[in-house]
C-alpha cells in the first residue's frame, strides 16, 4: 500500500482518499466512516488507522475550499454557468453557481468533474442583485456565454441584469408544461386521489403488494411516470385475468381510467425520451429534429397541447444561438450535487446550512492523490473558517448551541450563588 503522506498529516494519502471517496461516491455518512475502516481491518487485516468522523469532515472541507479558483483562472476561455437554489434549510437558502468550460461539452451528459465551483453561499433570501454581485466577484462576465437555470424570477432577472442568455432548464420546462395541462384536469385529480386513497387502505391489507407508488408532494409534476406505469401494468393484470377476486375488487376502478392512463403514459414516455436526448446530446439542430419526430406520435388533445408548447420552447431557444451551436440545456448535474448534500444532512435537519455544504464543491474533484496532497497542504484550518465566515455565517446549529450554552452558564451561576 502507498504510504505517502501530505506534509503535517499522520494519515496516508490513500487512507484520506478512501475516506473521501466513501462519502462522495458511496454516500457513506461521516459517522459511519470509522465503522467501515474497522470492518476492513477486521475482515482483511489491513491495519489501517481509523479516522474519526470529525477528521474526515475537516479533510472534506479543505478539499472543498481548495476546489474554488481565483478569478484569473477563468480568463482567456469561454464558459457557461449553471445556477440552482436549494430549498429552505432552516432560515437560509443555499445558492450554487458552477462554471463549465464551453469547449469541453461533448455528446454526453455532464458529470461532477465537468463543474468548477464558482459560488456556494447561504442567505435568508436570494435576490437578483445579490446573485449578480456574487457572480461578478468570481468571474468576468464577458467570458460567460450563457446561463442554464430554471425559470425562477430571481434567476431570470440575474440573467437580464448581466445581459446573459438564459437557457431554461429542460426538466423544469417540461414539468411546467405538464402542470399547465394536467393540474386542473378533473380526470387527473380523480385518478391521483384514487391512488392516494388506495395506498392508505391497502398498506396493511392482504393485497398490500398492489399498492401504487408514492406521489411526490414537492415538484410532483416532475415525476408522474411511476403512477401511470403502475396504472398501465395493473390494467394489463386485469385484462389478462391475473388477479383473484379480492385483488380485482381493489383495483377495478382503473377500468374507468384506461384511455386516460394509456394516453398520459404515452405523453410522459415521449417527454422522458425527449428530455433524455437533450440531457445527453444537448441542444442542437439534429437533436431537435429527432425530438420533434417523437412529439408527432402524440395524438390526444393534451398530447397535442404539450407538443405545441415544446415546439415553442425549441424555437425560442434556437433563436438565441447560431444554427450549428451545441448548447447544454439541463441543470440536472447541479441538482444532483444538492441531492448528495441533502443525503449528508438529512439525519439532522436542525443543523441548517453549514460549511458541510463544501461537500458539493468536493464532488467536482477527481480525487487524484497528487491533487489531494496539494489541497491538504495548501489549505489550512483557518482557511476553512474564513470561507465559512464569509459564505455561511452563523448556522442554525451554532445559533442553537450558543443559546443553550447560555442557559447552562446562567444555571451554573445560580447554583454557585
Amino acid at each position: 500500500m502507498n504510504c505517502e503522506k501530505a506534509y503535517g498529516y499522520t494519515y496516508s494519502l490513500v487512507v484520506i482518499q478512501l475516506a473521501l471517496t466513501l462519502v462522495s461516491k458511496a454516500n457513506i455518512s461521516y459517522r459511519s466512516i470509522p465503522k467501515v475502516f474497522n470492518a476492513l481491518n477486521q475482515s482483511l487485516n489491513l491495519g489501517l488507522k481509523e479516522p474519526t468522523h470529525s477528521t474526515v469532515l475537516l479533510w472534506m472541507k479543505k478539499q472543498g475550499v481548495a476546489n474554488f479558483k481565483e478569478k484569473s483562472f477563468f480568463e482567456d476561455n469561454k464558459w457557461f454557468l449553471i445556477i440552482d437554489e436549494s430549498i429552505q434549510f432552516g432560515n437560509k437558502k443555499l445558492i450554487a453557481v458552477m462554471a463549465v468550460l464551453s469547449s469541453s461539452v461533448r455528446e454526453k451528459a455532464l458529470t461532477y468533474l465537468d463543474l468548477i465551483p464558482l459560488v456556494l453561499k447561504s442567505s435568508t433570501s436570494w435576490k437578483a442583485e445579490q446573485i449578480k454581485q456574487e457572480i461578478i466577484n468570481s468571474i468576468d462576465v464577458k467570458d460567460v456565454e450563457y446561463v442554464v437555470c430554471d425559470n425562477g424570477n430571481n434567476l431570470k432577472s440575474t440573467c437580464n441584469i448581466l445581459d446573459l442568455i438564459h437557457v431554461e432548464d429542460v426538466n423544469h420546462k417540461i414539468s411546467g408544461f405538464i402542470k399547465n395541462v394536467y393540474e386542473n384536469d378533473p380526470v387527473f385529480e380523480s385518478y391521483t386521489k384514487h391512488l392516494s386513497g388506495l395506498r392508505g387502505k391497502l398498506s396493511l391489507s392482504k393485497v398490500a403488494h398492489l399498492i401504487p407508488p408514492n406521489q411526490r408532494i414537492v415538484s410532483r409534476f416532475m415525476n408522474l411516470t411511476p403512477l401511470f406505469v403502475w396504472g398501465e401494468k395493473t390494467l394489463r393484470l386485469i385484462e389478462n385475468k391475473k388477479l383473484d377476486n379480492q385483488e380485482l375488487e381493489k383495483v377495478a376502478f382503473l377500468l374507468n381510467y384506461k384511455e386516460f392512463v394509456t394516453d398520459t403514459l404515452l405523453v410522459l414516455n415521449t417527454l422522458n425520451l425527449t428530455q433524455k436526448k437533450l440531457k445527453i446530446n444537448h441542444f442542437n439542430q439534429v437533436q431537435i429534429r429527432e425530438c420533434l419526430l417523437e412529439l408527432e406520435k402524440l395524438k390526444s388533445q393534451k398530447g397535442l397541447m404539450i407538443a405545441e408548447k415544446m415546439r415553442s420552447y425549441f424555437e425560442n431557444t434556437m433563436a438565441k444561438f447560431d444554427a450549428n451551436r451545441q448548447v447544454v440545456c439541463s441543470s440536472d448535474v447541479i441538482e444532483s450535487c444538492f441531492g448528495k448534500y441533502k443525503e449528508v444532512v438529512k439525519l439532522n435537519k436542525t443543523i441548517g446550512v453549514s460549511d458541510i455544504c463544501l461537500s458539493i464543491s468536493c464532488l467536482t474533484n477527481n480525487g487524484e492523490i497528487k491533487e489531494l496532497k496539494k489541497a491538504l497542504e495548501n489549505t489550512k484550518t483557518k482557511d476553512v473558517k474564513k470561507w465559512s465566515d464569509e459564505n455561511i455565517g452563523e448556522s442554525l446549529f451554532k445559533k442553537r448551541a450558543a443559546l443553550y450554552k447560555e442557559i447552562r452558564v446562567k444555571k451554573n451561576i445560580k447554583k454557585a450563588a
Side-chain angles (χ1 to χ4, degrees), residues 29-30 57 89 338-357 359:
S29 71
Y30 289 100
L57 267 171
F89 285 92
F338 272 124
K340 291 269 190 181
Y341 171 55
K342 289 169 188 173
E343 282 294 313
V344 170
V345 300
K346 72 178 181 181
L347 296 178
N348 189 0
K349 294 182 180 178
T350 61
I351 204 169
V353 180
S354 72
D355 56 7
I356 294 177
C357 70
S359 59

Side-chain angles (χ1 to χ4, degrees), residues 82-84 112 150 169 171-172 222 330-342:
I82 307 178
I83 308 177
D84 197 19
Y112 299 141
D150 62 35
D169 170 59
N171 194 25
H172 285 86
M222 282 188 172
S330 171
S331 63
D332 262 20
V333 65
I334 198 172
E335 290 176 21
S336 176
C337 289
F338 272 124
K340 291 269 190 181
Y341 171 55
K342 289 169 188 173

Side-chain angles (χ1 to χ4, degrees), residues 173-204:
K173 200 66 181 173
I174 288 176
S175 174
F177 293 155
I178 295 171
K179 180 178 180 180
N180 183 264
V181 171
Y182 283 92
E183 185 174 32
N184 297 317
D185 178 63
V187 181
F188 173 79
E189 285 300 311
S190 176
Y191 176 73
T192 53
K193 281 182 180 177
H194 256 112
L195 266 58
S196 179
L198 201 62
R199 277 193 302 278
K201 292 176 183 177
L202 301 187
S203 59
L204 298 177

Side-chain angles (χ1 to χ4, degrees), residues 42-56:
Q42 285 190 356
S43 301
L44 304 176
N45 196 29
L46 295 178
L48 297 173
K49 189 177 179 183
E50 299 166 15
T52 64
H53 79 278
S54 57
T55 299
V56 180

Side-chain angles (χ1 to χ4, degrees), residues 77-95:
N77 280 303
K78 291 298 179 183
W79 307 81
F80 66 89
L81 307 182
I82 307 178
I83 308 177
D84 197 19
E85 187 180 14
S86 75
I87 59 171
Q88 196 90 6
F89 285 92
N91 64 338
K92 289 185 178 181
K93 285 187 174 183
L94 185 67
I95 196 161

Side-chain angles (χ1 to χ4, degrees), residues 25 44 72 121 143 163 189 227 242 248 250 258 270 274 295 304 315 319 341 343 355 384 403:
K25 301 294 191 300
L44 304 176
S72 58
K121 196 163 187 173
D143 295 324
D163 196 25
E189 285 300 311
L227 301 183
K242 298 292 184 181
L248 182 60
K250 300 299 181 183
K258 182 177 179 180
T270 302
T274 299
L295 291 168
L304 291 171
E315 290 171 5
Y341 171 55
E343 282 294 313
D355 56 7
V384 174
L403 184 64

Side-chain angles (χ1 to χ4, degrees), residues 47-140:
L48 297 173
K49 189 177 179 183
E50 299 166 15
T52 64
H53 79 278
S54 57
T55 299
V56 180
L57 267 171
L58 183 58
W59 293 338
M60 178 277 294
K61 292 172 186 178
K62 287 185 174 183
Q63 177 70 83
V65 169
N67 286 348
F68 287 91
K69 309 296 183 185
E70 296 292 333
K71 194 172 182 178
S72 58
F73 172 87
F74 300 96
E75 293 174 359
D76 303 323
N77 280 303
K78 291 298 179 183
W79 307 81
F80 66 89
L81 307 182
I82 307 178
I83 308 177
D84 197 19
E85 187 180 14
S86 75
I87 59 171
Q88 196 90 6
F89 285 92
N91 64 338
K92 289 185 178 181
K93 285 187 174 183
L94 185 67
I95 196 161
V97 182
M98 299 287 182
V100 182
L101 189 62
S102 294
S103 61
S104 69
V105 174
R106 301 287 183 269
E107 289 193 351
K108 66 177 185 65
L110 295 181
T111 68
Y112 299 141
L113 300 184
D114 292 311
L115 307 176
I116 296 177
L118 207 63
V119 179
L120 197 59
K121 196 163 187 173
S122 73
S123 177
T124 51
S125 66
W126 281 105
K127 301 194 182 328
E129 280 292 338
Q130 290 174 276
I131 301 171
K132 178 208 78 171
Q133 193 58 51
E134 293 298 331
I135 291 173
I136 64 176
N137 287 345
S138 306
I139 192 171
D140 194 327

